Amino acid sequence: MSSPSSKYISSLSCADQVVSVLQAGFFVLDGQGAILKINPAFSTILGYRPEDIAGRTFADLRHDLSSESDYFKERVDRYGLYYFFQAEKNLMPMIMRHKEGYAVPVRLRSVIIKDESGKPSGGIGIIEKIPPVSSEESKLDTEDVVNRQIWEMEQNYKSILENSGDAIFIADFNSRVITVNAAALYLLGFDSADQVVGKSVVELGPLEGAYTSATGDVVTFSVEYQDRQTAAANELFETGKAYSELYFFKNDGTVVPVEATLSLLKDKRGERRGTITVCRDITERKLAERQVQAAHDALEEK
């Protein structure tokens, strides 16, 4: 029996004429995020021809991958449809890399294809170029526009960052940290923002494995933890805000528990431009909960 994804791809072959005239970039992925098919509009937007794209993943085409660590790339490769889960219900702004190397802001809409067991087996996506905000910006190249938008975002939140006692992380819509405040550096044990800026938010915390916590306990991160964080990300993109209890890596390799509030950042047109995460260290609360639990267990034993 053929899989749903193979049937879907087969049906797409019958609709090649329709796909070829779409003005938006259209592409098909397998379960690992590898690109199987693109239409002419995709080539027009990003410059890649079908023979250029063979064997590459959609994540490979994100702009400025050079600033991301092997840890992040490994996670994205493992969860090949990472961006598609976030863009399935809402348009997701991203910065893609043109074949010639420059940045191209796009909106991504995706559909996940699942097999009979409900496991993701592929996906289809549509990308559209984000037009310049103004006629003035239309005279600039895309790279300048992107840098200007990031600079404006940083300036708008500078006063909040400098005066907040909570740790604050601002990321662009490629999930790359562009600004942190002093409280965030203190939380993670870093001396300079350069040690954090440029990393993906995925790199800041564990997804699996066992690590010593700031509470002194060893915390094991499993699929259940990953599912909770995925649910929080989905809520963020659906409603514009989400709350989550998660862990961040500290500079010494341990992890610290935090209570996080995540919000979408939007421009004047309502386009999503990034995220802001406000975190509060809950190590003391965890320790207090452990003491209460120990006292309760002692009473139960008596």
Side-chain angles (χ1 to χ4, degrees):
M1 179 181 293
S2 60
S3 68
S5 59
S6 63
K7 291 179 180 178
Y8 198 88
I9 293 171
S10 176
S11 67
L12 289 176
S13 298
C14 298
D16 275 346
Q17 290 184 342
V18 175
V19 171
S20 66
V21 298
L22 286 176
Q23 297 301 305
F26 179 92
F27 57 102
V28 182
L29 304 181
D30 65 16
Q32 285 68 52
I35 298 175
L36 303 176
K37 184 183 185 71
I38 62 174
N39 72 340
F42 186 98
S43 299
T44 299
I45 293 171
L46 294 180
Y48 298 95
R49 298 170 299 178
E51 56 266 31
D52 301 325
I53 218 77
R56 306 187 68 171
T57 67
F58 182 70
D60 287 338
L61 305 187
R62 291 173 61 248
H63 186 61
D64 199 17
L65 286 174
S66 61
S67 66
E68 294 166 352
S69 70
D70 292 339
Y71 175 86
F72 174 78
K73 294 175 184 177
E74 177 187 349
R75 292 302 181 270
V76 171
D77 288 343
R78 182 173 299 185
Y79 306 103
L81 299 175
Y82 174 79
Y83 297 103
F84 270 51
F85 285 106
Q86 299 184 39
E88 188 172 17
K89 296 181 180 179
N90 296 281
L91 285 172
M92 179 180 176
M94 297 185 68
I95 303 178
M96 305 302 295
R97 186 178 68 251
H98 193 275
K99 181 182 177 182
E100 296 182 4
Y102 58 84
V104 180
V106 302
R107 299 185 188 94
L108 168 66
R109 170 75 76 177
S110 64
V111 176
I112 301 295
I113 303 169
K114 298 181 179 180
D115 61 21
E116 295 176 352
S117 67
K119 181 180 178 181
S121 60
I124 61 174
I126 294 176
I127 57 171
E128 299 175 302
K129 286 187 68 173
I130 297 177
V133 173
S134 66
S135 58
E136 177 186 353
E137 286 188 348
S138 67
K139 299 176 183 178
L140 305 175
D141 64 33
T142 306
E143 192 80 29
D144 288 338
V145 172
V146 171
N147 289 335
R148 174 176 168 179
Q149 290 169 345
I150 292 175
W151 180 86
E152 290 174 349
M153 185 188 300
E154 289 178 318
Q155 296 303 309
N156 289 339
Y157 289 90
K158 186 176 181 180
S159 60
I160 298 176
L161 290 169
E162 292 177 346
N163 296 289
S164 174
D166 290 329
I168 299 178
F169 303 84
I170 296 180
D172 64 18
F173 46 75
N174 266 11
S175 302
R176 182 180 57 182
V177 177
I178 60 172
T179 307
V180 294
N181 66 348
L185 297 178
Y186 179 80
L187 174 71
L188 302 183
F190 289 111
D191 300 319
S192 168
D194 293 338
Q195 296 171 283
V196 181
V197 171
K199 292 184 177 181
S200 166
V201 292
V202 177
E203 298 177 68
L204 299 183
L207 288 176
E208 59 187 0
Y211 298 88
T212 301
S213 169
T215 62
D217 300 318
V218 174
V219 181
T220 300
F221 299 92
S222 61
V223 174
E224 181 182 354
Y225 176 80
Q226 298 168 21
D227 290 343
R228 289 202 305 270
Q229 303 316 314
T230 298
N234 290 338
E235 181 182 357
L236 172 64
F237 285 102
E238 288 177 12
T239 68
K241 181 173 288 187
Y243 302 92
S244 182
E245 190 173 299
L246 48 85
Y247 286 80
F248 280 135
F249 283 126
K250 290 180 69 70
N251 191 26
D252 61 6
T254 62
V255 292
V256 57
V258 301
E259 189 175 64
T261 301
L262 302 91
S263 303
L264 287 178
L265 297 176
K266 298 182 180 180
D267 62 18
K268 61 184 179 183
R269 296 184 306 185
E271 295 283 358
R272 290 180 290 178
R273 289 301 180 193
T275 59
I276 180 169
T277 303
V278 181
C279 303
R280 181 163 296 177
D281 187 344
I282 57 172
T283 300
E284 295 301 322
R285 192 181 82 186
K286 289 285 187 183
L287 290 171
E289 289 174 352
R290 185 171 66 181
Q291 291 173 354
V292 170
Q293 184 62 48
H296 179 271
D297 293 343
L299 288 173
E300 287 290 328
E301 186 176 348
K302 290 182 180 180

